[in-house]
Amino acid sequence: MKKIFILGSTGSIGTNTLDVIRNYPDRFKVETLTVNSNIELLEKQIKEFNPSLVVVRNEKSAEQLKRSLGNSIEVLSGDKGLIEATRRNNYDILVSALVGFAGLAPTIEGIKLSKRIALANKETLVVAGELITALCKECNSELVPVDSEHSAIFQCLVGEKSPEVKKLILTASGGPFLHHSSESLKNVSVAEALNHPNWKMGSKVTIDSASMMNKGLEVIEAQWLFGIEKEKIEVVVHPQSIVHSMVEFIDGSIKAQMGLPDMRLPIQYALSYPERLCGYLPQTKLPEIRDLSFFEPDYKKFECLKLAYQAIECGGTAPCILNAANEIAVGKFLEGSIRFLQIPEIIKKALNAIENHRGPDINTIFDCDRQTREFASKLS
Amino acid sequence: MKKIFILGSTGSIGTNTLDVIRNYPDRFKVETLTVNSNIELLEKQIKEFNPSLVVVRNEKSAEQLKRSLGNSIEVLSGDKGLIEATRRNNYDILVSALVGFAGLAPTIEGIKLSKRIALANKETLVVAGELITALCKECNSELVPVDSEHSAIFQCLVGEKSPEVKKLILTASGGPFLHHSSESLKNVSVAEALNHPNWKMGSKVTIDSASMMNKGLEVIEAQWLFGIEKEKIEVVVHPQSIVHSMVEFIDGSIKAQMGLPDMRLPIQYALSYPERLCGYLPQTKLPEIRDLSFFEPDYKKFECLKLAYQAIECGGTAPCILNAANEIAVGKFLEGSIRFLQIPEIIKKALNAIENHRGPDINTIFDCDRQTREFASKLS
């Protein structure tokens, strides 16, 4: 029986994780749940899964929840509560499913306790890949990816030897704007950008998918997760999202992992690895899907993807700047204060303006993140 | 340095195996070559690869070769010579690449010597799967498949646990008649049947591809090779022959192995496993291939495939009868004495007429094979 800590239990990954746990009550037990402010859904989750501890980041919502629950369960609050909870040694697997940079600090606490990290928060590796992978090694903590692409690669690598890997091939759906012209991207609406053809995800990730920044962040993540140079990571557009990603080996053989687009599969694998659990998920029938297609990505149209490769090239805090500027820009786009193509513009300005620090320690990364956010917030 | 014995060095698998060896002179050394009667090509192979022993099955050709070579190399002849050569303990890997039932007896000798068998001769497992897998276990001999489909499955299973396998999915190109109507199959010519869209193979296998008997034999082979029930082996038509086969696991995840249709890749893997060798083979570029498609096979049109499933269902010597009748029927079709759709007719008649023996020993299998051939030869 594995005890599970979910960072971000009311988000898309969080609720899907709880659905997996619901189906394997003999294998997994919810120990801790954390939310930002959605205490209405959290109360339902508490009733069903009976955790021993919950954290509500928003202080007001935390107070409200305490009043509602009385003394039946321990409630912590704020970023301090989040850190305190992750430091308790009462869980086996930390599902790191906060959105954005906020996931970094609590994930580090899980690593320090040598826990398995089921990593859905890609920013952890994007902004602090070098530090995090070194810390994992030092603390003997295991990072198992939850992203469908990285889970696919992780699965394709089972039983294979890393020196025999020639290339990682990340598939990208291409998002809602795959067939739009560069020109028509200028005036797309928030609703259009949120209308992902295959995946139901949170709004930040969905916008990143539309701009293909999501794939850029995944390239950076893959670099650290699998210890491989960026030259060996390729992106291929695959609109059906059935092939979740591939590995090419030195002998020319390619292995792919496939399935219907359903986050519960990689989540379940991250919890059960190295075992596979008998599935309750819908079956993938290739003759019903019929066609799988593959294209080169259009780096000119999807400038964010190009910027991500450039950030890896620059190294140091460049990926942190890229990520922070993107988070701010996506927020602005979602609230309607900038247009879609201003997202890469803001990122470019930040990459040019903010100083790049080589081999940053964790404080430098936090400083860089804050500084970039301040800078990007002022742009429009 | 692995010493290689090639059973059938002038056939399609044999020459491809020599091409692999040509590219890794530091890893593989040709020890023994055997041919049926093509001594012209054999002489060239002797010059290039300098084996210590050759076998020519046809006695006349063997005499001719001896006269030509003098005492420079040992030449054995006939089926007796074949068995004698495989019994010598001077090789590490036996590449079993004879066509048809003839491959069985010498392959057994390799197994008895605990050699690795790079198995291209599917009939070995089709007619004697139960016996052969038991013998491999007893003699600690390793069967590594060379067929692209079985190699794909073998690769997908690396690092995975067999109880977690839900299904093997064998892909089939569908051959040259994929889009023909059942009606138009009646009058196809030998040349049309030999015109395979993707693979260059020997004529027997190419006709089996056109009738989809090849896939039927592969289902039987897979059953023994991977110790899995026929209900868990599925056939999917995939005209591009890029996905060589797949494994579905109990959690719903599917792994596929892909590559351009080139037999040198699975041959090389069978020789180098568990290592992968740095490839000299052309790279697979999915964006250039663009589309992969998948269909259910048409069991009505391709009756041979249905007959193969029926033979597994019957068990005992039924697969042996199926195989022998098919070999005779394909021979007749190639020489122009029957039409294409008479192939399944002859097989059906043999399956109905020849007695099925349960749990056959090797002599029963040889008897059944001979009896079926006699019976089928008389049909037209």
Side-chain angles (χ1 to χ4, degrees):
Chain A
M1 181 72 96
K2 298 275 178 204
K3 285 177 273 176
I4 313 292
F5 185 133
I6 306 177
L7 273 169
S9 71
T10 56
S12 167
I13 297 292
T15 53
N16 274 305
T17 304
L18 287 171
D19 192 58
V20 170
I21 294 173
R22 181 180 289 127
N23 280 280
Y24 302 101
D26 299 343
R27 298 209 158 240
F28 307 117
K29 153 98 185 77
V30 173
E31 201 59 43
T32 308
L33 297 176
T34 87
V35 307
N36 201 26
S37 60
N38 186 351
I39 55 170
E40 199 182 336
L41 179 52
L42 178 61
E43 280 205 65
K44 284 183 194 154
Q45 294 178 342
I46 292 170
K47 248 187 206 149
E48 182 177 358
F49 294 99
N50 194 30
S52 67
L53 173 65
V54 298
V55 185
V56 182
R57 224 169 139 213
N58 181 295
E59 302 282 356
K60 252 190 178 165
S61 309
E63 281 314 308
Q64 206 179 325
L65 182 73
K66 278 183 200 166
R67 277 196 299 276
S68 158
L69 292 175
N71 283 329
S72 62
I73 180 173
E74 190 180 358
V75 180
L76 300 177
S77 65
D79 282 332
K80 234 178 103 181
L82 214 54
I83 297 298
E84 189 186 329
T86 42
R87 280 187 182 159
R88 292 203 190 166
N89 208 341
N90 63 345
Y91 59 98
D92 301 300
I93 302 177
L94 177 67
V95 180
S96 175
L98 293 186
V99 177
F101 188 85
L104 178 60
T107 302
I108 288 177
E109 300 303 326
I111 295 172
K112 285 185 181 162
L113 287 177
S114 309
K115 300 305 180 193
R116 168 179 298 184
I117 312 294
L119 189 70
N121 175 271
K122 44 177 78 82
E123 290 77 4
T124 298
L125 286 176
V126 169
V127 305
E130 198 167 354
L131 268 172
I132 292 292
T133 45
L135 191 65
C136 282
K137 224 175 165 181
E138 188 192 318
C139 301
N140 199 20
S141 164
E142 194 180 25
L143 285 184
V144 184
V146 163
D147 249 355
S148 65
E149 292 81 356
H150 300 82
S151 176
I153 290 171
F154 191 85
Q155 291 181 53
C156 289
L157 289 174
V158 163
E160 303 281 355
K161 304 171 200 73
S162 28
E164 295 180 358
V165 171
K166 186 172 170 188
K167 212 193 284 170
L168 307 181
I169 306 169
L170 288 166
T171 53
S173 70
F177 303 140
L178 177 59
H179 302 296
H180 277 54
S181 68
S182 298
E183 186 56 31
S184 71
L185 276 191
K186 279 184 187 164
N187 296 310
V188 292
S189 69
V190 173
E192 286 173 286
L194 283 175
N195 185 27
H196 195 279
N198 306 336
W199 291 99
K200 279 186 188 172
M201 306 176 289
S203 56
K204 160 70 166 58
V205 184
T206 306
I207 300 302
D208 283 346
S209 257
S211 71
M212 286 195 78
M213 176 55 96
N214 190 40
K215 213 48 54 178
L217 298 177
E218 287 175 8
V219 170
I220 305 178
E221 189 185 2
Q223 181 201 18
W224 295 111
L225 201 50
F226 304 111
I228 198 162
E229 310 92 276
K230 79 168 196 313
E231 288 74 20
K232 293 185 174 177
I233 309 175
E234 208 174 277
V235 173
V236 167
V237 175
H238 166 52
Q240 296 87 1
S241 297
I242 297 294
V243 174
H244 296 315
S245 277
M246 298 172 262
V247 176
E248 183 178 330
F249 297 93
I250 53 168
D251 60 356
S253 186
I254 295 177
K255 267 192 195 175
Q257 187 269 337
M258 307 190 206
L260 295 174
D262 189 320
M263 282 311 295
R264 291 173 297 178
L265 179 55
I267 290 169
Q268 178 180 309
Y269 190 76
L271 298 183
S272 70
Y273 169 81
E275 265 184 273
R276 292 182 181 275
L277 300 181
C278 205
Y280 63 99
L281 301 173
Q283 220 192 336
T284 310
K285 292 179 178 154
L286 286 173
E288 283 175 16
I289 296 160
R290 259 193 121 91
D291 287 302
L292 304 179
S293 48
F294 301 89
F295 313 87
E296 297 285 1
D298 183 340
Y299 290 93
K300 235 173 164 168
K301 187 166 95 181
F302 295 109
E303 218 186 335
C304 284
L305 182 54
K306 207 174 70 189
L307 290 171
Y309 271 99
Q310 283 171 7
I312 307 178
E313 184 74 39
C314 295
T317 47
C320 177
I321 299 167
L322 175 96
N323 177 68
N326 181 58
E327 281 191 33
I328 296 297
V330 170
K332 282 174 184 273
F333 174 69
L334 280 169
E335 72 191 25
S337 67
I338 63 167
R339 277 168 304 133
F340 188 66
L341 289 184
Q342 286 179 279
I343 297 173
E345 293 308 319
I346 288 178
I347 298 167
K348 265 190 282 186
K349 283 180 190 161
L351 282 169
N352 285 330
I354 313 287
E355 195 189 350
N356 188 358
H357 293 270
R358 316 245 121 227
D361 61 17
I362 196 73
N363 292 325
T364 310
I365 289 168
F366 276 92
D367 284 347
C368 171
D369 178 73
R370 193 169 36 243
Q371 198 189 342
T372 308
R373 279 166 201 271
E374 276 169 24
F375 173 83
S377 298
K378 287 175 206 147
L379 300 175
S380 64
Chain B
M1 179 74 95
K2 297 275 179 202
K3 285 176 273 175
I4 312 293
F5 184 134
I6 305 178
L7 273 169
S9 71
T10 56
S12 167
I13 297 292
T15 52
N16 274 304
T17 304
L18 287 171
D19 192 57
V20 170
I21 294 174
R22 181 179 290 126
N23 279 280
Y24 302 101
D26 299 341
R27 297 208 159 241
F28 306 117
K29 153 98 187 74
V30 173
E31 202 57 43
T32 308
L33 298 176
T34 87
V35 307
N36 201 26
S37 60
N38 187 351
I39 54 170
E40 199 183 336
L41 180 51
L42 178 60
E43 280 204 65
K44 283 184 197 156
Q45 295 178 341
I46 291 171
K47 247 186 207 149
E48 182 177 357
F49 294 99
N50 193 29
S52 67
L53 173 65
V54 299
V55 185
V56 182
R57 226 171 134 210
N58 181 295
E59 301 282 357
K60 252 190 180 167
S61 309
E63 281 314 308
Q64 207 180 324
L65 182 72
K66 277 183 201 167
R67 275 197 301 276
S68 158
L69 292 175
N71 282 329
S72 62
I73 181 174
E74 190 180 358
V75 180
L76 299 177
S77 65
D79 282 334
K80 236 179 105 182
L82 214 54
I83 296 298
E84 190 187 328
T86 43
R87 280 187 184 158
R88 291 203 190 166
N89 209 341
N90 63 344
Y91 59 97
D92 300 301
I93 302 177
L94 177 68
V95 180
S96 175
L98 293 186
V99 177
F101 188 84
L104 178 59
T107 302
I108 288 178
E109 300 303 325
I111 295 172
K112 284 185 182 163
L113 287 177
S114 309
K115 300 306 180 192
R116 170 180 296 185
I117 312 295
L119 190 70
N121 174 272
K122 44 177 79 81
E123 290 78 3
T124 298
L125 285 176
V126 169
V127 305
E130 198 167 355
L131 269 173
I132 291 291
T133 45
L135 190 65
C136 283
K137 224 176 166 179
E138 190 192 318
C139 300
N140 200 21
S141 163
E142 196 180 22
L143 285 183
V144 183
V146 164
D147 249 355
S148 65
E149 293 81 356
H150 300 83
S151 176
I153 290 171
F154 190 86
Q155 292 180 53
C156 289
L157 290 173
V158 163
E160 302 281 354
K161 305 170 199 74
S162 26
E164 296 180 356
V165 172
K166 186 173 171 190
K167 213 193 284 170
L168 307 181
I169 306 169
L170 288 166
T171 53
S173 69
F177 303 140
L178 177 60
H179 301 297
H180 277 54
S181 68
S182 298
E183 186 58 30
S184 72
L185 276 191
K186 279 183 188 164
N187 295 310
V188 292
S189 68
V190 173
E192 286 173 287
L194 282 175
N195 185 27
H196 196 280
N198 306 337
W199 291 99
K200 278 186 190 174
M201 307 175 289
S203 56
K204 160 69 166 57
V205 184
T206 306
I207 301 301
D208 283 348
S209 257
S211 71
M212 287 195 78
M213 176 55 94
N214 190 42
K215 214 45 57 178
L217 298 177
E218 286 174 7
V219 170
I220 306 178
E221 189 186 2
Q223 181 199 19
W224 295 113
L225 201 51
F226 303 111
I228 199 163
E229 310 90 275
K230 77 168 197 313
E231 289 73 22
K232 294 184 174 177
I233 309 175
E234 209 174 274
V235 173
V236 167
V237 174
H238 167 51
Q240 297 86 1
S241 297
I242 296 296
V243 174
H244 296 315
S245 278
M246 297 173 261
V247 175
E248 183 178 330
F249 296 94
I250 54 170
D251 60 357
S253 186
I254 294 177
K255 267 193 196 174
Q257 186 269 338
M258 304 191 209
L260 295 174
D262 190 320
M263 283 311 296
R264 291 173 295 178
L265 179 55
I267 291 169
Q268 177 180 309
Y269 190 75
L271 299 184
S272 70
Y273 169 80
E275 264 183 273
R276 292 183 182 274
L277 301 181
C278 205
Y280 64 99
L281 301 172
Q283 221 193 335
T284 311
K285 291 179 180 155
L286 286 174
E288 284 175 15
I289 296 160
R290 261 194 119 90
D291 287 302
L292 303 179
S293 49
F294 303 89
F295 313 86
E296 297 286 1
D298 184 339
Y299 290 93
K300 238 177 165 163
K301 187 166 95 182
F302 295 108
E303 220 186 333
C304 285
L305 182 54
K306 207 174 71 189
L307 291 171
Y309 271 99
Q310 283 172 7
I312 307 179
E313 183 76 39
C314 295
T317 46
C320 177
I321 298 167
L322 174 95
N323 177 68
N326 181 58
E327 281 191 34
I328 295 297
V330 170
K332 280 174 185 273
F333 173 69
L334 281 169
E335 71 191 27
S337 67
I338 63 168
R339 276 167 304 134
F340 188 67
L341 288 184
Q342 285 179 280
I343 297 172
E345 293 309 318
I346 288 178
I347 298 167
K348 264 191 283 186
K349 283 179 191 162
L351 282 169
N352 286 330
I354 313 287
E355 197 189 346
N356 187 358
H357 293 270
R358 316 246 120 227
D361 60 17
I362 196 73
N363 291 325
T364 309
I365 288 168
F366 276 92
D367 284 348
C368 171
D369 178 72
R370 195 168 36 240
Q371 199 189 341
T372 308
R373 280 167 202 269
E374 276 169 24
F375 174 83
S377 298
K378 288 176 205 147
L379 300 176
S380 63

